[in-house]
């Protein structure tokens, strides 16, 4: 990627992994699919089962060679999120509800203006949080120990 393209990276992504999108340009125009991967450094997304290209892979140690169909990345401007009510492509806007939660809404002509739900796949962590303390974790009794008293100034280092 050249320096000109790097200057035009998308700052605020409105397309997320797991979103249902419609391809609006290219050889798969008009087809819908789910975002498999977002490549933010290149402004590109990979849609599951779409934009297939033939890849010639040489045989190597531990894998077979041959001609395989793989999903090629699409530019983010060539896909649009599908409105969950109308099923048509729409722009994505941000709105705050009365309770202060931030939600994505469908924008544009002929859209319902309904809330676009956050994909379930984003709620699943790829590496689960550890439930037990490891060897490098600080014990809770040391964490809760009071080492500084604001009134007396005890615990301040002598500088």
């Amino acid at each position: 990627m050249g320096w000109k393209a790097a200057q035009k990276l998308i700052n605020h992504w409105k397309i997320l992994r797991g979103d249902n999108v419609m391809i609006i340009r290219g050889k798969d125009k008009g087809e819908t699919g789910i975002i498999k991967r977002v490549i933010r450094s290149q402004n590109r997304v990979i849609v599951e089962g779409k934009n297939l290209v033939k890849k010639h892979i040489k045989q190597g140690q531990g894998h077979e060679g041959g001609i395989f169909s793989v999903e090629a990345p699409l530019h983010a401007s060539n896909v649009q999120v599908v409105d969950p009510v109308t099923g048509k492509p729409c722009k994505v806007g941000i709105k705050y509800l009365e309770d202060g939660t931030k939600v994505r809404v469908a924008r544009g002509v002929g859209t319902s203006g309904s809330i676009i739900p956050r994909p379930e796949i984003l709620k699943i962590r790829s590496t689960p949080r550890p439930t037990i303390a490891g060897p490098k974790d600080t014990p809770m009794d040391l964490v809760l120990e009071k080492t500084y008293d604001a009134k007396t100034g005890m615990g301040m280092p002598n500088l």
Side-chain angles (χ1 to χ4, degrees), residues 114-127:
S114 63
I115 294 173
I116 301 169
R118 194 166 164 81
E120 290 293 321
I121 196 164
L122 294 178
K123 295 174 184 169
I124 302 166
R125 288 180 64 92
S126 57
T127 54

Side-chain angles (χ1 to χ4, degrees), residues 23 25 27-28 34-39 42-55 68-76 78-79:
I23 300 171
R25 283 187 211 97
K27 65 179 181 181
D28 292 326
I34 294 174
I35 298 280
K36 190 176 185 180
R37 186 169 164 224
V38 177
I39 308 167
Q42 298 175 3
N43 286 347
R44 294 183 178 271
V45 294
I46 295 176
V47 182
E48 215 168 276
K50 306 293 180 223
N51 199 29
L52 295 173
V53 294
K54 299 284 186 188
K55 184 122 177 155
F68 298 101
S69 287
V70 294
E71 298 145 343
L74 287 160
H75 197 270
N78 295 339
V79 296

Side-chain angles (χ1 to χ4, degrees), residues 130 132-140 142-143:
I132 55 171
K136 294 186 177 182
D137 290 332
T138 308
M140 279 307 288
L142 287 177
V143 171

